Amino acid sequence: MTQERQAMLFGLGAVALWSTVATAFKVALSYMSPLELMWIASLVSWALIGVLVARQGLLGEALGRGWRTAAWAGLMNPVAYYLVLFAAYDRLPGQEAMALNYTWALAMAFLAVPILGQRLTRIDVFAGLVAYSGVWVIATRGAVFDVAFADPLGVGLALASTLLWALYWLLNARDHRSPLVAQWQNFSVGVPVLTVLLLAGPGLQWHGWAGLGAGVYVGLFEMGIAFVLWQLAVHRVSRTARVANLIFLSPPVSLVLLFFIVGEPILPSTLVGLVLILGGLGLQQWQKSPAPAAQS
């Protein structure tokens, strides 16, 4: 099998797993609070990536250097980003939170102007207008001339998660840590912080094996295995855009899973808004390869 074909298979594997996470989030959050889910998932992901770091002989590097960057990066991702994202999923239908979260690439393009000194092209601006018109359709649930959002806090949290994710990757543009080491160090910072927040807040309660299984699934696949598969794909493909375009397969699959497993009726406003968001992302990718990133 050629390296290019391996890259596409790894990319498809990552996208297949990311297609399940909206459903996994909603199922897990039906049992526990966002903070409890975050703690369980982070602990599982930390352990999994730690094993991979050790097996690849990177433990010395992981323990020795890079902690100054991890000190702030770990507070952004996983702590701040996933807590805000899970809070959005806790308030909104999964289809809406998932669709709004896909605007992170456009948020990155706009934030790159003040942070990296980059310039927006006309296509960037037009793509943003198209995609964020989709955000408006979803936020108003089709009542586009009504400024009263169905859940303004939920919409705000979903959009805030895209800003945190984009900001995290932009600030990490000069991060020289290897991806696995960086991920493990970030979780090594995040897990103790989440433990303190959990103990100082609601505490950890037993929600049954189904709740635990849902939390483990999120940590194992959304934060762990999918990330590894995506990194393998990006490092093997000759042109990043080929793998990045696979992301567009995820939303339709996510909607189908939410419908059949969670029982969410697919709102017409979600479909229209999602088409606009993906159209805006497509315009943006048409002009240039996207910045390297790994989300749901």
Side-chain angles (χ1 to χ4, degrees), residues 22-37:
T23 298
F25 289 167
K26 293 302 291 185
V27 171
L29 289 168
S30 69
Y31 291 98
M32 64 188 78
S33 68
L35 185 54
E36 288 176 295
L37 172 58

Side-chain angles (χ1 to χ4, degrees), residues 92 96-104 106-107 127-144 146 149-151 154-156 158-160 162 269-278 280-281:
L92 295 174
E96 293 184 359
M98 178 270 299
L100 295 175
N101 187 247
Y102 264 79
T103 61
W104 65 264
L106 290 157
L129 290 173
V130 171
Y132 285 112
S133 67
V135 170
W136 183 265
V137 171
I138 292 172
T140 59
R141 294 186 181 170
V144 293
D146 185 359
F149 292 172
D151 190 329
V155 171
L159 293 177
T162 69
S269 57
T270 300
L271 291 176
V272 173
L274 188 57
V275 167
L276 290 169
I277 289 171
L278 294 180
L281 292 177

Side-chain angles (χ1 to χ4, degrees), residues 24-94:
F25 289 167
K26 293 302 291 185
V27 171
L29 289 168
S30 69
Y31 291 98
M32 64 188 78
S33 68
L35 185 54
E36 288 176 295
L37 172 58
M38 186 67 228
W39 185 80
I40 293 172
S42 294
L43 189 63
V44 170
S45 186
W46 172 80
L48 170 67
I49 296 176
V51 170
L52 295 175
V53 165
R55 286 179 63 88
Q56 293 194 16
L58 299 172
L59 194 56
E61 177 187 343
L63 295 174
R65 56 189 175 86
W67 290 100
R68 182 176 297 180
T69 301
W72 63 264
L75 293 178
M76 289 189 69
N77 175 35
V79 179
Y81 169 68
Y82 278 106
L83 280 179
V84 172
L85 181 64
F86 289 168
Y89 269 94
D90 199 35
R91 297 187 64 90
L92 295 174

Side-chain angles (χ1 to χ4, degrees), residues 75 86 89 99 112 119-120 127 132 138-139 147-148 164 181 217 238 249:
L75 293 178
F86 289 168
Y89 269 94
R119 293 183 178 180
L120 290 175
Y132 285 112
I138 292 172
V147 295
L164 284 169
V181 168
Y217 182 91
S238 59
L249 298 175

Side-chain angles (χ1 to χ4, degrees), residues 109-249:
F110 290 118
L111 287 174
V113 175
I115 293 175
L116 301 181
Q118 296 180 3
R119 293 183 178 180
L120 290 175
T121 66
R122 291 180 180 179
I123 292 180
D124 284 325
V125 175
F126 183 65
L129 290 173
V130 171
Y132 285 112
S133 67
V135 170
W136 183 265
V137 171
I138 292 172
T140 59
R141 294 186 181 170
V144 293
F145 298 108
D146 185 359
V147 295
F149 292 172
D151 190 329
L153 180 56
V155 171
L157 288 168
L159 293 177
S161 74
T162 69
L163 294 176
L164 284 169
W165 187 250
L167 189 61
Y168 169 77
W169 285 103
L170 288 172
L171 293 177
N172 273 273
R174 296 178 178 86
D175 187 356
H176 299 298
R177 297 177 297 167
S178 60
L180 272 181
V181 168
Q183 191 80 340
W184 184 78
Q185 288 181 337
N186 290 356
F187 276 100
S188 296
V189 170
V191 169
V193 173
L194 290 167
T195 302
V196 171
L197 292 175
L198 190 65
L199 294 177
L204 184 65
Q205 301 178 23
W206 175 248
H207 298 284
W209 290 108
L212 178 62
V216 170
Y217 182 91
V218 171
L220 196 62
F221 293 103
E222 203 281 340
M223 299 180 183
I225 295 175
F227 170 82
V228 174
L229 290 175
W230 188 255
Q231 289 297 327
L232 289 171
V234 169
H235 283 89
R236 280 171 167 76
V237 76
S238 59
R239 199 165 63 90
T240 306
R242 288 196 64 195
V243 172
N245 287 334
L246 295 175
I247 295 284
F248 291 89
L249 298 175

